Amino acid sequence: MSDQSRIELLHRVEPQVSKPVADGAVPDSWWARIEQAFGNFTPDAKAAFTHDTHALACEVLPQAKDAISENWPASRIRTGVVVGSVQSGKTASMLGLSALLLDRGVGLLVVLAGTRIALWLQTYERLLTQLDGSTPETAWRRNKERVLVPAPEDILSADARAETRAYLRFQRRQVEKALQEGRPCLFVVPKEDAHLLELGRLLRELLSPALLDARSHPLDLVVLDDEADDASVLAAATDKVTPKFIQELWSIPGNPDVTWHPRLRAVYVAYTATPQANLLQASHNPLSPRDFFFALRTPDQVGAVVPRQLTFTERVGIRRYYTGGRTFYERLRGRPGDFCCTRPYPVQGQGEPAALHDARVARERWHLLGDALRSYFIGGALRLYLGKRRLSTLPLAPVSEGALRAVLPDPHVMLYHPSALKDLHFQGAEDISRWSAAKPGEEARTKPAEVEEGRFVLDVQGLVARLSSEESAWRGWVDQFDLTSGELQTLPGGTYPSLAGVPWEAIRELLVTEIFPHTKLRVLNSDPRADDRPVFSPVRVDEPSGTFLPPHEIYSIFVAGNILSRGLTLEGLSTSLFLRSSREPAADTQMQMQRWFGYRGSHLPFCRVFLFEDQLALFRSYHANDEALKQEILRRSDVSTPPDRVLVLAGERFVATAKVETRHLPLHPGPTPAIRIVEHENDALIQANTDLVVQFLTGHEVDVIEAPVGTVRGLITREPIGMFEVADLLDGLCYSYHDPDPTHEVYARWRSLEVQLGLGVSLLRTPGKKPSAPAVEPGGCPYSIAAYLRLWNALLGQHDVRGFYPTDRPGLSWHMIDIDAHRTTRPRFYVGVRFGSEGVAQDPRLAERGIQTMRRGLSIRPHVLETLWGTRGTEGQYYGDQLFDYHLHASQPVPRLHQDSLWRPRSHPGLVLVHLIRHPEKPVDMVALGLALPHGGPDHIAALRGATHP
């Protein structure tokens, strides 16, 4: 069903609930309250948000009034995933979806709001104000319309008992009465096992068989799981049971595959920015998405509301764009004022002592730290100058909120992520303190400014001295920010001020008198020595009079680690320094750590990310893979038979997730793939493969290859053929042992790619007579290689696609390549027949051509040859079987054979080499093929779960 069809269906089955709301009036529907809460959305953002939320509601709850839709499985359980971007507005989507579902009559709505108490309360307060339209003081007025568990006074008061789980029992009677009267019940609980167990017990007690039997229509229970890639994943090598406790909100332990009553329907909706683990757990995690997949969009320069694309056009311009991977890693890549600032990571030389290498790494880290701090300080001074605000004049006594905001500067924040180890976060803060106190080059030998154990501060006088000694390096950042501002001027809404006329003396004075003395240094992690969570809002001092003090954080440098991956939003984040390293980085974990993503449009020219070059390459790959996954999800609704799985990608240097054990499967079949499978039992199929060779040779002119002169090596086509013709030749082969099922996990990727790219033709074309598990790996399967060639051809016609990279440039995303150059080097293939020494071919039509057969042994699997490629060259007179065609076309330079692989240069032709194998028992010959592919084709690495295939 298309997006538009879903909207039309929703409008038929549910009247529009949004009506104009007069000032001061209370909205009469859940959705109207959401529209009022998000009244600051731009028209484009509001249109996209409304469209997406309505479309998502149709996915989550497919029904026509009270009738059970045919889309409901017999289990009465639906599970799905909503994929957003890091800090892009997933919570807003969750609240909007909640409003529509409640307006449609959902009786039980459960919001799983994080694993930490602070995050739980943060989500609760937002739900209270934006969805419920109330405050802790006024929430009781809506009790006749709904029951909210917990009540505000039970968790937000000074003597709150949130951690005791008792709040779930305080309103038992109200919940029971609401269920009888048909009023909705909202539960907002932390995703902690004890809370989930208590909620499950309560629901089973309240949803008695008698109550459900008496209902005229099913009761819908919807569970919305915020950050579903966290506790809701069955992590590798752990005994975590949280997913099962969530499942038991609607099922009983003895019968988990259905709801506990025929009139109870359950929907589990997983919200996440990193769904890799969720998607790879379909075989065993009850919460894995099986029924619907949905991708949220972000505002950018292009994209329509309908049909849905990765982004939608925000006509206000870049100040309202989502600043994610497209902004940081693509928009100014390689141009003046690039957002990413890198240095090469020192590679340990052969024989270099570890101590010497460590010293070189340390020097590079100090360079990056220094560059980041100078960028942060100069950016902060420029923002104060442009905003005409001061830190030193902020009120020391409480004032009204309006008076405070009139003089309050915008927050300006730096983030330093040195390591996953908590102790190294304190070391990171110490290093910043050392840098502030040290003379240039003497950082490691300088004593830091420490106020108490583990708490460091900036050395103001040291910073002033450093500013004087390296003033040119500091002034250079004014020019860098001006270059960025100028580049952004070309984008819609890019009205950023020029910095060329800003007097340096004014900036220097602000650094010395405002920035250095008032910048705080904080450590954020779970260690007791660490600081509390940052507060960026004015602090209410006196409730009756409504007076406030300035926020705790205005200009701050934070050092943090894994706490960055969940729920931590740093307002005003401008400078990010990421020096964390990992032997086997996981894309989902490191994606969550990119806290510089978000909505940074107001101060975007001052944003920078500092890191080593290899880490930036990883981040760019994560971004490309993320967009490929979302592209497939977006297009699933536009095809009649979407794939059963969503394709999850990994990389050569990283795994998709460390929460699930995975294996990697490259897309490219290799430089010289050998199709070693042969038909040796079924006479009809043996003959059919022979006929295929005969028909091909009949339709093409061929020459004889002699190398050296007088030694006949075989036949070869006089002219090369295209990739489509090669693919058709490969698809013509048939076997009794090998007819792979297209839905098998290693073949399902082709359907996913068809959907992602919006292709109207099939890439994979198996015989389909008796689909079964594959007999060989994809790199040795003729049908998979044929699919790869069709994909290659398709990608030469589609430039702006994500998740692919050329085989010879794995660090470059396909959409960044010179597509015209790739099109001019579109490969064509010579087809040859290699002669052997086992006598003339059995088939007379091949014998007439003088074709000689060869002997190859069968492996322990009787349908697979032990080896295929033969001669590897004779001192330059014969290049070798994998370079058979070079004796004809003489392309230069001739590649050199290596032991295990042979990559042909881009623009060189490819090769298909036919081998006629003498059957050990029958008077027939078997057909096997070898190919040689040039560089430049597309590649990526799929992440699969489970044991390696044969």
Side-chain angles (χ1 to χ4, degrees), residues 15-97:
Q16 288 293 289
V17 296
S18 300
K19 300 176 183 178
V21 180
D23 291 341
V26 178
D28 62 356
S29 73
W30 293 94
W31 180 252
R33 277 188 287 277
I34 284 293
E35 288 192 314
Q36 189 177 69
F38 297 148
N40 62 341
F41 279 15
T42 67
D44 292 321
K46 182 177 181 180
F49 174 75
T50 301
H51 177 276
D52 284 6
T53 311
H54 280 72
L56 176 57
C58 290
E59 291 276 14
V60 170
L61 203 66
Q63 63 180 29
K65 282 295 183 181
D66 297 333
I68 295 180
S69 165
E70 63 182 9
N71 291 325
W72 280 89
S75 66
R76 303 178 296 276
I77 302 169
R78 288 171 54 81
T79 60
V81 65
V82 181
V83 182
S85 300
V86 175
Q87 300 191 131
S88 66
K90 296 187 295 300
T91 302
S93 169
M94 186 172 68
L95 296 177
L97 174 63

Side-chain angles (χ1 to χ4, degrees), residues 729-761:
L729 175 65
L730 296 175
D731 284 340
L733 295 168
C734 46
Y735 310 94
S736 58
Y737 290 92
H738 185 61
D739 189 356
D741 185 346
T743 64
H744 187 278
E745 65 169 353
V746 298
Y747 286 87
R749 66 156 49 167
W750 299 113
R751 180 59 178 146
S752 292
L753 293 174
E754 292 166 16
V755 170
Q756 179 191 338
L757 299 174
L759 301 180
V761 297

Side-chain angles (χ1 to χ4, degrees), residues 75 639 700 809:
S75 66
V639 297
H700 296 81
R809 298 192 66 184

Side-chain angles (χ1 to χ4, degrees), residues 83 293-295 629-637 646:
V83 182
F293 303 82
F294 199 85
L629 182 146
K630 290 174 183 170
Q631 185 67 70
E632 180 187 344
I633 291 175
L634 281 170
R635 286 184 168 167
R636 286 173 71 95
S637 59
V646 174

Side-chain angles (χ1 to χ4, degrees), residues 365-379:
R365 291 174 69 93
W366 281 115
H367 278 304
L368 281 171
L369 178 61
D371 286 343
L373 288 166
R374 283 186 286 267
S375 169
Y376 169 72
F377 287 130
I378 292 293

Side-chain angles (χ1 to χ4, degrees), residues 698-845:
T698 302
H700 296 81
E701 295 184 357
V702 298
D703 288 327
V704 174
I705 292 293
E706 295 185 9
V709 176
T711 302
V712 177
R713 301 288 181 175
L715 305 178
I716 193 168
T717 53
R718 190 167 296 168
E719 298 293 335
I721 63 175
M723 288 189 284
F724 280 160
E725 193 172 353
V726 174
D728 291 341
L729 175 65
L730 296 175
D731 284 340
L733 295 168
C734 46
Y735 310 94
S736 58
Y737 290 92
H738 185 61
D739 189 356
D741 185 346
T743 64
H744 187 278
E745 65 169 353
V746 298
Y747 286 87
R749 66 156 49 167
W750 299 113
R751 180 59 178 146
S752 292
L753 293 174
E754 292 166 16
V755 170
Q756 179 191 338
L757 299 174
L759 301 180
V761 297
S762 297
L763 295 172
L764 181 69
R765 303 175 188 179
T766 59
K769 296 178 180 178
K770 296 178 65 176
S772 58
V776 294
E777 289 277 11
C781 168
Y783 316 122
S784 185
I785 297 173
Y788 176 79
L789 295 175
R790 292 191 181 96
L791 173 68
W792 190 343
N793 190 78
L795 289 180
L796 292 176
Q798 293 192 40
H799 189 208
D800 190 19
V801 295
R802 310 296 167 123
F804 301 94
Y805 52 83
T807 56
D808 52 349
R809 298 192 66 184
L812 184 67
S813 180
W814 190 268
H815 75 283
M816 302 291 289
I817 66 174
D818 183 347
I819 193 64
D820 291 330
H822 274 252
R823 287 169 180 157
T824 60
T825 58
R826 186 191 311 262
R828 294 176 63 78
F829 290 77
Y830 288 90
V831 180
V833 181
R834 179 70 168 96
F835 288 5
S837 58
E838 294 299 313
V840 71
Q842 303 284 348
D843 188 287
R845 297 167 296 178

Side-chain angles (χ1 to χ4, degrees), residues 480-501:
Q480 286 298 310
F481 293 139
D482 189 52
L483 287 171
T484 305
S485 182
E487 292 284 350
L488 298 178
Q489 294 282 356
T490 62
L491 296 171
T495 54
Y496 296 104
S498 171
L499 305 176

